[in-house]
Amino acid sequence: MTPPDDASLPALDLRLTEENLDDLYEHAPCGYCTCLPDGTLVKLNQTLLGWLGYRRDELVARRCLQQLLTVGGRLHYETHCAPLLLLQGQVREMSYLLRRRDGSTLPVLLSAALVREPDGTPLAVRVSLFDITERRKYEQELLRAKVQAEEQREQLARANEQLRAKNEQLTRINADLDSFVYTASHDLKQPINNMVGLFEELRRSVTFHDAEAGPMMSMFEDALAQILATIDGLTQVVQLQRAMEQVPAEPVALLPFTEDIIRSLQPAPAGTRFELDFAAAPVLRIARPGLHSLLYNLLSNALKYAAPDRPPRVRVSTARTAHATVLSVQDNGRGIDLTRHHRELFQLFRRFHPEVAGTGMGLYLVNRLARQAGGRVEVDSAVDAGTTFRIFLPQEEAGDSTPDARPLAAPPGPLSEKERGSQATR
Amino acid sequence: MTALTRNNVSVTGTGEVALVFIHGFGCDQRMWRLVAPAFEDRYRVVLLDLVGAGGSEVGAYDPARYAALQAHADDVLAVVRALALPRVVLVGHSVSAMIAVLAAIAAPAGIVERLVLVAPSPRYLNDAGYVGGFERVDIEELLEAMDANYLGWSGAMAPVIMGHPEQPALAQELTDSFCRTDPAIARHFARVTFLGDNRGDLPRLHTPTLILQSAHDVIAPLPVGQYLHRQLPGSELVVLDTSGHCPHLSAPAPTIAAIDHFLGAAPRP
């Protein structure tokens, strides 16, 4: 394109350059009005009157600019525009709705400038208004989208909260399952060990004439080994878990708790008598699995190392001293030569009755659990008369859990040790 | 964060008594530009921005805390404490007239000597037997108008609010953005302002009070000023011959004269 040169100018329609200023004001493609500083309308152009549907004489000196806005817009004008005009002398691009004579609205952008007298007194406000009907629709879409996005964000936050609650619930269920597996594997182990022993015995003493018997015996043995391995595996998994999260102390009613353990023991010899007396301290605040393991080991030991010539008598009781609650397990069994074994009593793999099967884990575990509960174990024993184990647990503050009692979870040490320990041997 | 930075407090002037000016909804302490300097020769002049407005620490705006005007009143008293002002006159405009009332009620005895309420209203919504001037739907319209005027705000204005007034370009922007604030805060403050009702607090006020009423104010119309005058026994009502909601801007000289007269009439202990 070639730029217009001087020669081309005369070709323009000169009427354009003689634009009538009044006509331009009246019919400009935007609304104009002039107001007094308080907003009273003194002059409006035809474009604005056409938008509004008012006659000039209905507005001039009778209405103010604010009254042409919706009530909300008017509030905004009074609190935002009016002070800005007086302080800064102008406002730009304020978005309002004009209220037409017929009640309908017209979205406009308002810009205004304050005209002052020479002494600075505000004289008039010049206002120009632009019809933004189409742009307003688009802006409202944007606003709607923004509101929607905010709602979705809130929904997301709610969903997150639900997930968190669900997660907490699952964690709890997981812990419960852990406890179940722990207890189940713990309690299964003893009878299965018995089955192993019985089976050995059976194989030695019984002769089968069936040709199939040999392979069946091996299969049975394999199955037993598999059960033991599975239980070991289960226990190890659970205890790994436990090592990471401590089991909280909780009130444990000793009588039903101990009765349950007694029921889970291998069948006691004929004439066995248990005596339970928890009157002094019927409830202990302690981690349940730890207490279970501790009592299980002591009680099964009491039966296992019973004197061969008399029926076992086992007394389980509690007592209180000034600073401790004492849980005692007393038997009338073979007894331990403490002068000889005193130092190694609680050591791992130490055994004092080689004539009875065992792995040397039980007392090690008992001692360890007691220490983790912040307590200690004392032993009295006389050979061929009986043994008394006393577990001293720190006295808890009234209605409060002792911090010392909390760590009575499964020991964090080598896990297989503890599991084998639950075979209750010494 | 101290009360003085939180509320962007500025102190000028000298005198035994401090005038604490509290701006209204929609603006900040610059609203007092035509009035406050006139008192600097006889009073300490304390200007502040309500939290959420102007140069206040916008991050301190916790919607739960500022759901009631009392929180702003507590802020004002914290400023009075921080400056260790022994004798105070609170001058509150618009919604801050009620903030000043609440502050005067909660202040330790003897600290707040007088109140000047500029274009006050204890309740903007009409109620049984009470004409506040507005219906709830009008307030929703106001919120819409605010939303419509905040399009594009976040992107353009955020750096200013983050506070770099030392940068000239941003300072210019700040001037242009005068009386703008974070849209979420503005919406919230608009609701707290226009949907609130502090009529029940009026009987608890026993501080000598001047009501400065604009003759033609659509936001706090004359009947509302007269209602307040009746509810506050011993209060003075001065109707200024001006229009609009900001007599301290549209009629600064009469506003100054009325405050001067009121304070001059005060018995000096």
Side-chain angles (χ1 to χ4, degrees):
Chain A
M1 253 177 99
T2 52
D5 56 24
D6 287 352
S8 69
L9 271 180
L12 286 170
D13 188 338
L14 284 177
R15 278 178 300 175
L16 280 176
T17 65
E18 292 166 12
E19 172 76 281
N20 179 315
L21 288 184
D22 284 341
D23 189 65
L24 173 64
Y25 178 81
E26 289 298 341
H27 299 287
C30 61
Y32 286 126
C33 65
T34 305
C35 324
L36 299 181
D38 69 359
T40 304
L41 290 160
V42 292
K43 196 169 159 70
L44 300 91
N45 73 349
Q46 202 54 55
T47 309
L48 181 55
L49 286 168
W51 286 352
L52 292 167
Y54 283 108
R55 292 192 317 274
R56 196 178 304 269
D57 64 291
E58 289 177 304
L59 297 180
V60 169
R62 295 178 190 276
R63 294 285 195 98
C64 56
L65 172 65
Q66 301 91 303
Q67 287 172 303
L68 300 180
L69 309 176
T70 56
V71 179
R74 191 169 179 181
L75 268 170
H76 190 273
Y77 183 93
E78 295 286 359
T79 51
H80 292 74
C81 259
L84 275 175
L85 269 173
L86 288 167
L87 282 167
Q88 292 192 158
Q90 63 168 357
V91 294
R92 286 179 307 204
E93 294 187 60
M94 306 302 289
S95 177
Y96 289 123
L97 292 175
L98 289 180
R99 179 74 72 188
R100 290 195 181 98
R101 193 172 202 265
D102 64 8
S104 62
T105 57
L106 176 73
V108 292
L109 272 191
L110 177 153
S111 290
L114 180 70
V115 184
R116 292 180 185 274
E117 290 190 90
D119 70 352
T121 315
L123 177 66
V125 181
R126 286 176 180 157
V127 181
S128 55
L129 300 153
F130 292 86
D131 179 351
I132 54 161
T133 305
E134 290 306 312
R135 170 176 290 248
R136 183 61 177 263
K137 283 181 194 159
Y138 167 67
E139 287 176 352
Q140 278 177 331
E141 280 306 311
L142 278 180
L143 278 177
R144 252 196 298 280
K146 181 171 153 260
V147 169
Q148 222 168 21
E150 267 160 20
E151 276 168 6
Q152 278 167 356
R153 192 180 53 81
E154 274 164 28
Q155 275 174 7
L156 209 63
R158 276 197 297 277
N160 264 339
E161 178 53 32
Q162 280 170 358
L163 271 180
R164 201 192 51 75
K166 202 81 195 166
N167 201 19
E168 238 170 43
Q169 194 187 0
L170 285 175
T171 307
R172 252 195 329 272
I173 291 174
N174 235 354
D176 288 350
L177 280 175
D178 266 5
S179 280
F180 173 74
V181 173
Y182 174 89
T183 312
S185 58
H186 194 278
D187 294 355
L188 279 174
K189 191 130 192 180
Q190 182 79 9
I192 288 174
N193 274 320
N194 293 342
M195 285 168 73
V196 172
L198 285 168
F199 184 68
E200 294 276 326
E201 195 53 39
L202 201 64
R203 193 151 69 166
R204 255 207 319 275
S205 55
V206 180
T207 315
F208 297 99
H209 300 291
D210 193 335
E212 298 290 308
M216 279 168 66
M217 295 288 274
S218 315
M219 281 162 70
F220 192 86
E221 206 170 6
D222 289 349
L224 272 181
Q226 202 179 344
I227 290 176
L228 271 174
T230 304
I231 290 174
D232 272 342
L234 278 176
T235 311
Q236 280 187 28
V237 167
V238 174
Q239 289 190 338
L240 266 174
Q241 192 79 20
R242 284 277 163 77
M244 287 182 286
E245 51 192 63
Q246 297 190 337
V247 181
E250 58 177 308
V252 179
L254 283 171
L255 187 61
F257 192 76
T258 311
E259 283 173 340
D260 277 354
I261 293 175
I262 290 170
R263 272 193 291 277
S264 74
L265 295 170
Q266 59 185 331
T272 301
R273 224 174 63 204
F274 286 97
E275 190 189 330
L276 308 181
D277 176 10
F278 302 120
V283 174
L284 281 185
R285 189 170 174 82
I286 195 167
R288 193 173 276 269
L291 179 65
H292 186 276
S293 184
L294 196 148
L295 268 177
Y296 184 92
N297 277 295
L298 289 177
L299 289 173
S300 56
N301 275 357
L303 297 187
K304 194 191 290 184
Y305 302 106
D309 57 348
R310 54 183 181 266
R313 296 267 184 280
V314 184
R315 177 182 155 82
V316 189
S317 61
T318 51
R320 284 191 188 281
T321 70
H323 303 292
T325 304
V326 186
L327 174 64
S328 303
V329 177
Q330 182 179 23
D331 65 41
N332 62 342
R334 297 168 188 241
I336 306 163
D337 183 353
L338 287 178
T339 45
R340 256 182 79 193
H341 300 301
H342 157 73
R343 286 178 177 278
E344 48 194 333
L345 191 61
F346 296 118
Q347 286 178 18
L348 191 55
F349 300 136
R350 293 284 184 241
R351 307 212 53 242
F352 314 109
H353 298 287
E355 69 278 15
V356 181
T359 61
M361 289 289 300
L363 287 184
Y364 167 78
L365 186 67
V366 166
N367 186 47
R368 198 165 164 172
L369 288 168
R371 281 173 179 276
Q372 281 189 342
R376 62 194 162 85
V377 183
E378 279 185 13
V379 188
D380 282 337
S381 193
V383 174
D384 207 30
T387 308
T388 303
F389 289 92
R390 290 191 190 83
I391 317 292
F392 289 76
L393 295 166
Q395 194 94 285
E396 53 183 284
E397 306 298 323
D400 193 7
S401 67
T402 340
D404 289 339
R406 289 187 64 80
L408 210 160
L415 298 168
S416 56
E417 294 176 5
K418 185 201 161 190
E419 183 40 40
R420 269 182 266 134
S422 59
Q423 293 173 29
T425 58
R426 66 185 176 192
Chain B
M1 182 179 68
T2 69
L4 301 187
T5 57
R6 182 182 60 195
N7 286 94
N8 190 30
V9 174
S10 69
V11 184
T12 54
T14 50
E16 279 177 48
V17 179
L19 294 193
V20 180
F21 290 90
I22 318 165
H23 68 84
F25 168 76
C27 224
D28 58 40
Q29 59 182 269
R30 284 172 285 188
M31 289 277 268
W32 298 106
R33 208 170 65 193
L34 307 183
V35 166
F39 295 93
E40 286 172 351
D41 57 340
R42 287 152 296 150
Y43 298 93
R44 287 188 91 186
V45 170
V46 179
L47 296 173
L48 59 85
D49 291 335
L50 297 178
V51 168
S56 70
E57 286 180 8
V58 177
Y61 197 90
D62 169 11
R65 170 162 144 75
Y66 290 100
L69 296 182
Q70 186 65 49
H72 291 292
D74 293 344
D75 285 356
V76 170
L77 291 179
V79 169
V80 169
R81 264 197 310 279
L83 293 172
L85 304 174
R87 299 172 59 196
V88 168
V89 175
L90 298 179
V91 186
H93 171 233
S94 190
V95 64
S96 286
M98 286 306 119
I99 290 172
V101 166
L102 293 172
I105 291 169
I111 299 264
V112 178
E113 297 187 345
R114 278 163 196 274
L115 285 184
V116 178
L117 310 183
V118 184
S121 172
R123 177 177 165 95
Y124 295 91
L125 294 185
N126 300 325
D127 197 4
Y130 174 83
V131 178
F134 297 94
E135 296 293 337
R136 186 169 278 264
V137 61
D138 300 330
I139 306 307
E140 295 303 327
E141 258 185 13
L142 166 68
L143 295 176
E144 274 174 39
M146 288 170 63
D147 279 349
N149 279 300
Y150 282 127
L151 276 176
W153 180 91
S154 328
M157 290 309 302
V160 178
I161 297 302
M162 292 309 156
H164 303 282
E166 69 282 3
Q167 296 175 25
L170 287 176
Q172 180 58 42
E173 209 171 349
L174 193 65
T175 314
D176 292 345
S177 73
F178 181 39
C179 294
R180 289 207 185 181
T181 181
D182 179 295
I185 294 178
R187 272 188 79 90
H188 186 259
F189 189 38
R191 283 188 175 280
V192 173
T193 297
F194 288 104
L195 301 181
D197 184 356
N198 293 98
R199 288 175 296 174
D201 296 308
L202 301 176
R204 297 159 58 211
L205 182 70
H206 305 293
T207 310
T209 299
L210 168 66
I211 299 164
L212 277 184
Q213 173 71 42
S214 166
H216 309 283
D217 181 356
V218 66
I219 293 184
L222 185 58
V224 170
Q226 289 164 337
Y227 169 88
L228 267 174
H229 183 44
R230 285 196 305 276
Q231 298 298 312
L232 297 174
S235 64
E236 269 181 52
L237 174 64
V238 172
V239 180
L240 298 166
D241 184 21
T242 186
S243 290
H245 188 51
C246 303
H248 50 320
L249 289 176
S250 60
T255 301
I256 293 166
I259 296 175
D260 255 342
H261 184 266
F262 174 64
L263 296 181
R268 302 276 176 165

